Coordinates of all heavy atoms in Angstrom, one line a residue:
Q1 N 99.1 -39.0 -50.0 CA 98.9 -40.4 -49.8 C 99.7 -40.7 -48.5 O 100.9 -40.5 -48.4 CB 99.5 -41.2 -51.0 CG 99.5 -42.7 -50.8 CD 98.1 -43.3 -50.8 OE1 97.2 -42.9 -51.6 NE2 97.8 -44.2 -49.9
M2 N 99.0 -41.3 -47.6 CA 99.6 -41.6 -46.3 C 99.5 -43.1 -46.1 O 98.4 -43.7 -46.0 CB 98.8 -40.9 -45.2 CG 98.6 -39.4 -45.4 SD 97.9 -38.6 -44.0 CE 96.3 -39.3 -43.9
N3 N 100.7 -43.7 -46.0 CA 100.8 -45.2 -45.8 C 101.5 -45.4 -44.4 O 102.1 -44.5 -43.8 CB 101.7 -45.8 -46.9 CG 101.1 -45.6 -48.2 OD1 99.8 -45.6 -48.4 ND2 101.9 -45.5 -49.3
S4 N 101.4 -46.7 -44.0 CA 102.0 -47.1 -42.7 C 101.7 -46.1 -41.6 O 102.5 -45.7 -40.8 CB 103.6 -47.2 -42.9 OG 103.9 -48.0 -43.9
L5 N 100.4 -45.8 -41.5 CA 100.0 -44.8 -40.5 C 100.2 -45.3 -39.1 O 100.1 -46.5 -38.8 CB 98.5 -44.5 -40.7 CG 98.3 -43.5 -41.9 CD1 96.8 -43.6 -42.4 CD2 98.7 -42.1 -41.5
K6 N 100.5 -44.3 -38.2 CA 100.8 -44.6 -36.8 C 99.8 -43.8 -35.9 O 99.3 -42.8 -36.4 CB 102.2 -44.1 -36.5 CG 103.3 -44.7 -37.3 CD 104.7 -44.1 -37.0 CE 105.8 -44.7 -37.9 NZ 107.1 -44.1 -37.6
P7 N 99.6 -44.2 -34.7 CA 98.7 -43.5 -33.8 C 99.1 -42.0 -33.7 O 98.3 -41.1 -33.6 CB 98.8 -44.2 -32.5 CG 99.1 -45.6 -32.9 CD 100.0 -45.5 -34.1
E8 N 100.4 -41.7 -33.7 CA 100.9 -40.3 -33.6 C 100.6 -39.5 -34.8 O 100.8 -38.3 -34.8 CB 102.4 -40.3 -33.3 CG 103.3 -41.1 -34.2 CD 103.6 -42.5 -33.6 OE1 102.7 -43.1 -33.1 OE2 104.7 -42.9 -33.7
D9 N 100.1 -40.1 -35.9 CA 99.6 -39.3 -37.1 C 98.2 -38.8 -36.9 O 97.7 -38.0 -37.7 CB 99.7 -40.2 -38.3 CG 101.1 -40.6 -38.7 OD1 102.0 -39.8 -38.6 OD2 101.2 -41.8 -39.1
T10 N 97.6 -39.2 -35.8 CA 96.2 -38.7 -35.5 C 96.2 -37.2 -35.3 O 97.0 -36.6 -34.5 CB 95.7 -39.3 -34.2 OG1 95.5 -40.7 -34.5 CG2 94.3 -38.7 -33.9
A11 N 95.4 -36.5 -36.1 CA 95.4 -35.0 -36.1 C 94.3 -34.5 -37.1 O 93.7 -35.3 -37.8 CB 96.7 -34.4 -36.5
I12 N 94.1 -33.2 -37.0 CA 93.3 -32.6 -38.1 C 94.3 -32.1 -39.1 O 95.3 -31.5 -38.8 CB 92.5 -31.4 -37.6 CG1 91.5 -31.8 -36.5 CG2 91.7 -30.7 -38.7 CD1 90.8 -30.7 -35.8
Y13 N 94.0 -32.5 -40.4 CA 94.9 -32.2 -41.5 C 94.4 -31.0 -42.3 O 93.2 -31.1 -42.7 CB 95.2 -33.4 -42.3 CG 96.1 -34.4 -41.7 CD1 95.7 -35.1 -40.6 CD2 97.4 -34.6 -42.2 CE1 96.6 -36.0 -40.0 CE2 98.3 -35.5 -41.6 CZ 97.9 -36.2 -40.5 OH 98.7 -37.1 -39.9
Y14 N 95.2 -30.1 -42.6 CA 94.8 -28.9 -43.3 C 95.7 -28.7 -44.6 O 96.9 -29.1 -44.5 CB 95.0 -27.6 -42.5 CG 94.2 -27.6 -41.2 CD1 94.7 -28.1 -40.0 CD2 92.9 -27.0 -41.2 CE1 94.0 -28.0 -38.9 CE2 92.2 -26.9 -40.0 CZ 92.7 -27.5 -38.9 OH 92.0 -27.4 -37.7
C15 N 95.2 -28.2 -45.6 CA 96.0 -27.8 -46.7 C 96.0 -26.3 -46.8 O 95.1 -25.6 -46.4 CB 95.6 -28.4 -48.0 SG 94.0 -28.0 -48.6
A16 N 97.1 -25.8 -47.4 CA 97.3 -24.3 -47.5 C 98.0 -24.1 -48.9 O 98.9 -24.8 -49.2 CB 98.1 -23.7 -46.4
A17 N 97.5 -23.0 -49.5 CA 98.0 -22.7 -50.8 C 98.6 -21.2 -50.8 O 97.9 -20.3 -50.2 CB 97.0 -22.8 -51.9
D18 N 99.7 -21.0 -51.3 CA 100.3 -19.7 -51.4 C 101.1 -19.5 -52.7 O 101.9 -20.4 -53.0 CB 101.2 -19.5 -50.2 CG 101.5 -18.0 -50.0 OD1 102.4 -17.5 -50.7 OD2 100.8 -17.3 -49.2
A19 N 100.8 -18.4 -53.4 CA 101.4 -18.2 -54.7 C 102.8 -17.5 -54.5 O 103.6 -17.5 -55.5 CB 100.5 -17.3 -55.5
G20 N 103.1 -17.1 -53.3 CA 104.4 -16.3 -53.2 C 105.5 -17.0 -52.5 O 106.5 -16.4 -52.2
R21 N 105.3 -18.3 -52.2 CA 106.3 -19.0 -51.4 C 106.8 -20.2 -52.2 O 106.1 -20.8 -53.0 CB 105.8 -19.5 -50.1 CG 105.2 -18.4 -49.2 CD 104.7 -19.0 -47.9 NE 103.8 -18.1 -47.2 CZ 103.9 -17.8 -45.9 NH1 104.9 -18.4 -45.2 NH2 103.1 -16.9 -45.4
F22 N 108.1 -20.6 -52.0 CA 108.6 -21.8 -52.6 C 108.4 -22.9 -51.6 O 108.4 -22.7 -50.4 CB 110.1 -21.6 -52.8 CG 110.4 -20.6 -53.9 CD1 111.0 -19.4 -53.6 CD2 110.2 -20.9 -55.2 CE1 111.2 -18.4 -54.5 CE2 110.5 -19.9 -56.2 CZ 111.0 -18.7 -55.9
C23 N 108.3 -24.1 -52.1 CA 108.2 -25.3 -51.3 C 109.5 -25.6 -50.6 O 110.6 -25.7 -51.3 CB 107.7 -26.5 -52.2 SG 107.8 -28.1 -51.3
G24 N 109.5 -25.8 -49.3 CA 110.7 -26.1 -48.6 C 110.5 -26.0 -47.1 O 109.3 -25.8 -46.7
R25 N 111.5 -26.0 -46.3 CA 111.4 -25.9 -44.9 C 110.7 -24.7 -44.4 O 109.9 -24.8 -43.5 CB 112.8 -26.0 -44.3 CG 112.9 -26.2 -42.8 CD 114.3 -26.5 -42.4 NE 114.9 -27.6 -43.0 CZ 116.1 -28.0 -42.9 NH1 116.9 -27.3 -42.1 NH2 116.6 -29.1 -43.5
Y26 N 110.9 -23.6 -45.0 CA 110.3 -22.3 -44.6 C 108.8 -22.4 -44.8 O 108.0 -21.9 -44.0 CB 110.9 -21.1 -45.3 CG 110.3 -19.8 -44.8 CD1 110.6 -19.3 -43.6 CD2 109.3 -19.2 -45.6 CE1 110.0 -18.1 -43.2 CE2 108.7 -18.0 -45.2 CZ 109.1 -17.5 -44.0 OH 108.5 -16.3 -43.5

């Protein structure tokens, strides 16, 4: 969910799934 969108948010958005990684900065 993307709110308060800005021109700098313009991009192609991709999702990626991985079973071997934890969610975080890495």
Side-chain angles (χ1 to χ4, degrees):
Q1 177 67 43
M2 305 188 297
N3 298 329
S4 303
L5 283 161
K6 304 175 182 180
E8 51 263 42
D9 294 319
T10 295
I12 301 173
Y13 283 70
Y14 301 88
C15 61
D18 195 277
R21 304 179 193 228
F22 295 106
C23 172
R25 190 172 300 176
Y26 181 77

